[in-house]
Amino acid sequence: MPTYRGYTQEQIVSLIDHTLLKPEATRADLDACIKTAIEAEVKAMCIRPMDVAYSAKALANSSVLLCTVIGFPHGTVTTNTKVQETIEAVRNGALEVDMVMNLGLFASGDYEAVQEDIAAVVRATKETNPKAEVKVILETCLWSEEQIIKACELCEAAGADFVKTSTGFAASGATVEAIRTMRSTVGDRLGVKASGGIRTLDALIDMAEAGASRVGASGTIAILKEFSEKATH
């Protein structure tokens, strides 16, 4: 079986959340995203809340998990807004929700409010579908290592299933250092998702080797093309 850096294509696609979150993306872009996700057999497809109901129907007979974003991209909507967004998304077929933690409250050091905001989304998710999972976006480029550790601890205490680096809409995205910090903090108790700026096969594998269990990527086709060119038997 062909491998690259010890990974098979099956292992590569099992890490990928194929992503389309550009606000100006068209229905044709969404259809192309769905087609890629199904054909590549990626782990999940992450799309805008407005696209959930349509995408759920399109993915119904596939193994691809449907993921959407909550409080995106700044995390500063009210907790009640996040809860309502979550309930609607999960009812419409989302099996994973990637919520942005409240960046302003976190920067202010109001950790209790940050944790409660996350916990409210976790409750809404699980009450709507006990099988659905919550990833919390930390926007790691904004924080020191100590703050990343604190954010991970709040996510775990709030009952989240994953911690995630980035929205892809901030100054920069995932780094190997941030992933290592996140993984060492949550151990094997939570998933870790790298996202933002991961455009090559090597970058994806670097994130996996640092501890990412999921990688957000919009360039899945290019990454898999690279695999077919570089993999050896």
Side-chain angles (χ1 to χ4, degrees):
M1 186 169 291
T3 61
Y4 178 70
R5 287 176 60 181
Y7 286 79
T8 64
Q9 180 164 320
E10 194 173 21
Q11 287 170 314
I12 295 294
V13 294
S14 74
L15 292 164
I16 294 177
D17 283 8
H18 183 56
T19 303
L20 182 69
L21 293 170
K22 287 189 302 193
E24 73 276 19
T26 63
R27 179 54 64 86
D29 293 331
L30 178 61
D31 286 336
C33 179
I34 291 165
K35 183 171 184 282
T36 297
I38 293 170
E39 287 178 358
E41 298 182 324
V42 294
K43 183 70 175 183
M45 183 179 84
C46 187
I47 40 88
R48 305 168 301 190
M50 61 178 271
D51 300 324
V52 171
Y54 179 85
S55 300
K57 291 191 184 78
L59 295 176
N61 297 316
S62 78
S63 62
V64 180
L65 297 172
L66 181 58
C67 172
T68 193
V69 288
I70 301 295
F72 195 84
H74 301 125
T76 51
V77 296
T78 63
T79 298
N80 187 53
T81 300
K82 286 180 181 173
V83 165
Q84 295 309 318
E85 275 192 298
T86 301
I87 292 167
E88 183 180 23
V90 177
R91 279 185 182 155
N92 282 341
L95 287 167
E96 299 184 340
V97 296
D98 289 17
M99 70 165 285
V100 187
M101 78 170 181
N102 191 307
L103 306 178
L105 289 174
F106 186 78
S108 303
D110 193 347
Y111 299 139
E112 195 176 322
V114 172
Q115 184 177 318
E116 181 44 45
D117 183 63
I118 298 165
V121 170
V122 171
R123 285 194 297 272
T125 302
K126 307 295 181 182
E127 284 167 10
T128 310
N129 181 353
K131 291 181 179 169
E133 294 198 316
V134 178
K135 308 191 198 93
V136 182
I137 304 172
L138 312 181
E139 209 66 281
T140 49
C141 68
L142 300 174
W143 317 120
S144 67
E145 185 181 9
E146 291 73 25
Q147 287 174 306
I148 292 171
I149 291 167
K150 182 64 183 176
C152 288
E153 290 169 350
L154 295 173
C155 294
E156 184 167 4
D161 301 288
F162 280 78
V163 285
K164 175 179 170 182
T165 60
S166 322
T167 58
F169 288 79
S172 61
T175 64
V176 163
E177 294 74 26
I179 292 294
R180 283 201 188 108
T181 299
M182 292 159 74
R183 177 54 74 196
S184 66
T185 306
V186 303
D188 57 7
R189 302 177 299 280
L190 273 67
V192 174
K193 179 174 171 180
S195 63
I198 302 159
R199 297 186 179 90
T200 67
L201 178 60
D202 280 304
L204 184 148
I205 293 173
D206 288 345
M207 295 298 168
E209 290 185 344
S213 45
R214 207 73 79 75
V215 178
S218 55
T220 301
I221 291 172
I223 288 168
L224 294 180
K225 182 172 182 283
E226 214 185 326
F227 182 88
S228 68
E229 288 164 358
K230 289 182 171 177
T232 53
H233 287 269

